[in-house]
Amino acid sequence: GGPGPRPPPGCPQRRLGARERRDMQREILAVLGLPGRPRPRAPPAASRLPASAPLFMLDLYRAMASDDDDDDAGPPERRLGRADLVMSFVNMVERDHVLGRQEPHWKEFLFDLTQIPAGEAVTAAEFRIYKEPSTQLVNRTLHVSTFQVVQEHSNRESDLFFLDLQTLQAGDEGWLVLDVTAASDRWLLSRHKDLGLRLYVETEDGLSVDPGRAGLLGQRAPRSRRPFMVTFFRASPSPGRAPR
Amino acid sequence: ALRPLKRRQPKRTNELPQPNKLPGIFDAVHGSNGRQVCRRHELYVSFRDLGWLDWVIAPQGYSAYYCEGECSFPLDSCMNATNHAILQSLVHLMKPDAVPKACCAPTKLSATSVLYYDSSNNVILRKHRNMVVKACGCH
């Protein structure tokens, strides 16, 4: 790429050696902000069907990529806002609490947040769960409330922090998007702990409903309808790269 | 004041005029001896060729481009030269061993977004700024 004359045709071109190729890849990974090459686990062949989180993220990618050419233009996708990093979290532990008629029913999801980068400002966070039409609660209005599990107790109910409330019909179908942005403030304080999100479903009369009966799908759903969490970040200015 | 250049070898080209001669209007300084002016060139970074498609979802690569070309006086408007670059090029004509030509470099860069898996199979979407050359110029 220099201003000097190009070598005449037929001159042997130097090829990168194996170590130089590795060094080159390491440099490019560093530009992309990665300490090393990711090694995702390949899913079993039988389950290599489109999964919910990648499908959603692919839509976001197309929206973000269309905005790449002009940093000064407003984002075409409202959800993106000014975010330049979006992470989806699919690794979770699901717990259901369906005991007796007096206890409130709930469904809880525990997310591993250790992959969240430090120094990134959260602009929004969503928990996405698919709802099928409920065949058991016909023509009923349902209230879905979301809480963050702040502290569990062995001898009493856990401490909960209210996040979101959505009202829908039992016959509705589609992705339910729950705003959990308020939980992000606590991530910075307890990054070593899993994030617990607990969902309660109630009828208009205040009766607690099993979220599964209401049509909310958990981890045992088909891959394209499994719940996941999405977090939008605005990157802080990158620290200067260490000189090589 | 001009400072002496350090570790600089004199260029052995025949395109530079003598220090006490300014180019006339018929001198082919601009684009002389076939050298192209500062402009953008193709450069494609292929994630496929890097063998990264096991963790990169999209894109399979992107056009980064690069800048190359001469920044010789007089600097055309297509060279996106700054006033300083114009001045530097003029001084280079007078003192080629003391002051180098202006550099052909990116003047506008844009971002590119990458969608990929991390090692926990989470899907990450990140916009990387200043990755694509949109325009080159003499600076």
Side-chain angles (χ1 to χ4, degrees), chain B residues 64-126:
Chain B
Y65 300 99
Y66 70 95
C67 298
E68 184 187 9
E70 285 289 316
C71 287
S72 298
F73 184 89
L75 298 180
D76 269 348
S77 59
C78 65
M79 292 178 176
N80 292 321
T82 60
N83 287 337
H84 181 273
I86 296 171
L87 181 71
Q88 181 171 331
S89 298
L90 182 59
V91 175
H92 170 75
L93 277 179
M94 296 185 290
K95 299 278 185 182
D97 290 340
V99 174
K101 292 181 187 177
C103 297
C104 179
T107 55
K108 185 171 167 55
L109 295 157
S110 66
T112 192
S113 297
V114 181
L115 184 70
Y116 62 94
Y117 288 106
D118 68 5
S119 297
S120 300
N121 281 43
N122 297 313
V123 181
I124 317 291
L125 171 61
R126 186 188 286 265

Side-chain angles (χ1 to χ4, degrees), chain A residues 231-244:
Chain A
T231 307
F232 299 80
F233 299 88
R234 177 72 173 166
S236 52
S238 304
R241 288 176 55 208
R244 300 285 180 183

Side-chain angles (χ1 to χ4, degrees), chain B residues 5-54:
Chain B
L5 292 175
K6 298 176 182 178
R7 299 191 303 273
R8 183 171 179 82
Q9 300 298 323
K11 287 190 177 179
R12 298 180 183 276
T13 65
N14 58 1
E15 65 168 339
L16 298 177
Q18 295 303 313
N20 59 353
K21 175 190 171 193
L22 291 177
I25 59 173
F26 299 111
D27 285 354
V29 175
H30 171 67
S32 64
N33 71 0
R35 298 222 175 159
Q36 59 187 348
V37 298
C38 172
R39 67 178 183 85
R40 192 177 73 162
H41 300 262
E42 283 286 340
L43 171 62
Y44 185 76
V45 178
S46 171
F47 297 141
R48 171 181 289 277
D49 288 355
L50 285 168
W52 285 1
L53 294 190
D54 59 327

